[in-house]
């Protein structure tokens, strides 16, 4: 089912009339865009439908959090506030690995197993490159064809045309919507390159790295930082001729992890093998994810981890808003070119210019931040 097309239907009409309009008021002409555009969304009603697990309502809410329109921003904030008590209950798992490692196929196979066990699965993606390729990390829906057909699964590709910060926000908020809708396992797929892992690690409880057997150079191509973030590692495509090779790689990787882990007392991530083709190892990977989570919970770290994530997210939002405001500040833009030229020619020091820019920014920052 295509969530995007579903989401276009205007579903939730406000029960009350447009605020400020009285009975008997002249009806504005139909071409008034404010009237023609779209009926008002009622966040309470939408929340109710989401809690009931209605797919169209969920898709509508995700479209709302993905929207960049200021009016939608306020509605999304209202909706998330209403839903908050129903969020936070899912097992949140991040899944990373280089393109072709088999992430989507793995999610499809694992997801179907978990559904058989009675779980409801939400799949999200953080893929800031999808804007460039025009496709998406999950665009290869065929890879998740079977999972996508289950009414116990909800798959949402990365929104196109966004930068990482935007994708990180919408993924995080979509996750909350899906938790409120009763999805008890949220899998977040991300590309195994660049900063997106950091963003995903900042929103999940457990981080799974899917890698491949490449005897001898198994560490090549995996950034050290990503290895350090991993809570569970699996050497994937351990089937056919590659099964024994995968086992060797897993052993070597496990030894290598000892060397990278700076704290000798820290729990090292287990390194397993898996195949989505045969299904072998999938249960063990899931068990390792549950074990990691259980260890966190036993040590009181799950709440601590989430609290820290929230705190860091708060500041990421503040920094993002400030940067946006700085970029569009008319007072700053009025003096930007001149100050840059003066700094380049040496007439003005960078420090003096930055003071001038900040002074200009503060002058109209209030207006900019108000909306
Ligand atoms: N042999 C084998 N091939 C696999 C396995 N999982 C995925 N593949 C294949 O590897 C390719 C990339 O898979 P995909 O899930 O799209 O990788 P992603 O880019 O990491 O999401 C596809 O051609 C899959 O059919 C596996 O467990 N065993
Ligand atoms: Mg994929």
């Amino acid at each position: 089912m295509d969530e995007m097309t579903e989401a276009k239907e205007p579903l939730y009409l406000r029960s009350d009339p447009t605020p400020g309009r009285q009975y008997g008021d002249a009806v504005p002409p139909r071409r008034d865009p404010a009237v023609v555009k779209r009926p008002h969304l009622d966040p309470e009603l939408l929340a109710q439908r989401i809690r009931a697990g209605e797919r169209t309502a969920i898709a509508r809410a995700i479209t709302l959090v993905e929207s960049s329109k200021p009016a939608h921003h306020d509605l999304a904030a209202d909706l998330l506030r209403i839903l908050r008590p129903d969020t936070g209950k899912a097992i949140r798992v991040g899944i990373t690995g280089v393109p072709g490692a088999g992430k989507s196929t793995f999610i499809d196979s694992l997801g179907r197993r978990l559904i058989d066990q009675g779980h409801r699965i939400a799949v999200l993606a953080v893929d800031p490159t999808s804007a460039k390729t025009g496709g998406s990390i999950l665009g290869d829906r065929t890879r998740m064809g079977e999972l996508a057909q289950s009414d116990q699964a909800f798959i949402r590709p990365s929104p196109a045309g966004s930068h990482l910060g935007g994708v990180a926000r919408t993924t995080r908020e979509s996750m909350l919507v899906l938790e409120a809708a009763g999805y008890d396992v949220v899998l977040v797929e991300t590309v195994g390159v660049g900063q997106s892992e950091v963003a995903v690690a900042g929103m999940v409880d457990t981080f799974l790295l899917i890698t491949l057997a490449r005897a001898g150079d198994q560490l090549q191509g995996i950034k050290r930082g990503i290895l350090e973030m991993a809570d569970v590692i699996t050497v994937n495509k351990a089937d056919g001729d590659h099964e024994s090779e995968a086992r060797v790689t897993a052993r070597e990787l496990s030894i290598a992890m000892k060397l990278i882990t700076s704290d000798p007392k820290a729990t090292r991530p287990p390194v397993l093998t898996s195949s989505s083709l045969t299904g072998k190892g999938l249960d063990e990977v899931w068990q390792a994810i549950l074990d990691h989570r259980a260890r966190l919970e036993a040590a009181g770290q799950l709440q601590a981890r989430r609290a820290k994530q929230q705190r860091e997210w708060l500041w990421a939002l503040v920094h993002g808003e400030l940067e946006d405001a700085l970029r569009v500040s008319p007072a700053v833009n009025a003096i930007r070119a001149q100050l840059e030229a003066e700094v380049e020619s040496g007439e003005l020091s960078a420090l003096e210019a930055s003071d001038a820019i900040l002074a200009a920014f503060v002058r109209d920052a209030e207006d900019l931040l108000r909306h």
Side-chain angles (χ1 to χ4, degrees):
M1 212 187 311
D2 191 342
E3 314 292 355
M4 292 306 282
T5 6
E6 278 176 19
K8 297 230 171 63
E9 298 162 37
L11 286 171
Y12 308 108
L13 305 184
R14 261 195 209 280
S15 39
D16 52 333
T18 308
R21 195 170 301 148
Q22 303 275 316
Y23 177 70
D25 274 2
V27 178
R30 266 197 70 78
R31 62 180 185 283
D32 180 347
V35 181
V36 177
K37 233 186 205 166
R38 167 168 284 199
H40 288 280
L41 276 168
D42 182 344
E44 286 286 355
L45 199 50
L46 189 55
Q48 209 176 309
R49 304 260 158 96
I50 288 166
R51 285 195 207 97
E54 268 184 41
R55 298 179 75 90
T56 42
I58 299 164
R60 186 78 192 84
I62 295 177
T63 304
L64 191 65
V65 303
E66 286 174 355
S67 167
S68 52
K69 294 202 181 87
H72 289 173
H73 179 97
D74 291 350
L75 269 173
D78 278 353
L79 178 68
L80 291 171
R81 184 178 39 72
I82 298 165
L83 291 178
R84 196 158 55 212
D86 305 302
T87 64
K89 290 167 195 148
I91 299 174
R92 301 169 173 177
V93 183
I95 298 177
T96 192
V98 294
K103 298 178 294 295
S104 301
T105 315
F106 180 91
I107 290 170
D108 186 54
S109 307
L110 178 70
R112 281 185 284 133
R113 277 169 187 249
L114 294 177
I115 285 171
D116 288 343
Q117 292 171 22
H119 290 289
R120 295 179 67 211
I121 314 296
V123 183
L124 297 167
V126 171
D127 179 11
T129 61
S130 70
K132 278 179 223 134
T133 59
S136 155
I137 199 167
L138 303 177
D140 48 346
R141 284 250 179 130
T142 47
R143 300 274 144 73
M144 297 199 210
E146 297 202 39
L147 189 62
Q149 269 160 35
S150 169
D151 57 4
Q152 301 304 309
F154 196 101
I155 300 179
R156 185 75 170 191
S158 205
S162 305
H163 58 289
L164 177 58
V167 179
R169 180 183 64 75
T170 57
T171 307
R172 190 180 284 270
E173 293 176 355
S174 301
M175 176 161 80
L176 299 175
V177 169
L178 288 158
E179 284 183 340
Y183 291 88
D184 63 334
V185 175
V186 182
L187 305 175
V188 185
E189 178 179 349
T190 186
V191 275
V193 284
Q195 282 294 301
S196 48
E197 279 75 22
V198 179
V200 173
M203 62 178 94
V204 299
D205 307 324
T206 303
F207 205 53
L208 170 70
L209 170 65
I210 295 186
T211 183
L212 293 173
R214 273 167 305 183
D217 67 342
Q218 73 276 17
L219 286 183
Q220 247 172 323
I222 312 173
K223 292 200 185 69
R224 189 190 165 119
I226 292 175
L227 282 173
E228 282 169 349
M229 263 186 262
D231 300 304
V232 179
I233 299 173
T234 183
V235 181
N236 198 30
K237 306 195 189 180
D239 42 50
D241 292 347
H242 298 290
E243 190 171 348
S244 57
E245 199 189 353
R247 288 188 193 290
V248 173
T249 303
R251 242 186 330 270
E252 289 175 354
L253 201 47
S254 179
I255 293 165
M257 289 306 290
K258 274 187 209 162
L259 305 175
I260 346 188
T261 321
S262 39
D263 178 1
K265 278 183 293 216
T267 326
R268 281 193 306 279
V271 186
L272 308 168
T273 60
S274 57
S275 166
S276 311
L277 218 61
T278 65
K280 208 169 159 184
L282 293 182
D283 291 337
E284 286 77 4
V285 172
W286 181 245
Q287 191 55 50
I289 289 168
L290 294 180
D291 288 349
H292 170 260
R293 196 184 152 80
R295 272 200 307 279
L296 282 184
E297 266 182 324
Q301 284 176 22
L302 186 64
Q303 285 318 311
R305 183 173 174 138
R306 287 189 173 182
K308 181 166 173 266
Q309 287 173 340
Q310 283 307 109
R311 193 177 64 237
E312 288 174 356
W313 179 239
L314 158 68
W315 286 105
L317 283 178
V318 171
H319 285 271
E321 287 286 320
L322 277 176
E323 257 175 52
D324 288 349
L326 188 61
R327 200 170 37 243
V328 301
S329 159
V332 170
N333 285 331
I335 57 172
R336 181 191 295 268
Q338 163 110 34
L339 288 177
E340 279 178 357
E342 288 178 10
V343 168
E344 280 174 24
S345 71
E347 268 170 85
L348 202 65
S349 74
L351 184 63
E352 289 169 311
S354 92
D355 282 347
I357 286 172
L358 287 174
F361 177 62
V362 166
R363 255 180 273 130
D364 58 7
E366 274 194 342
D367 293 343
L368 289 162
L369 291 171
R370 202 169 288 142
H371 68 250

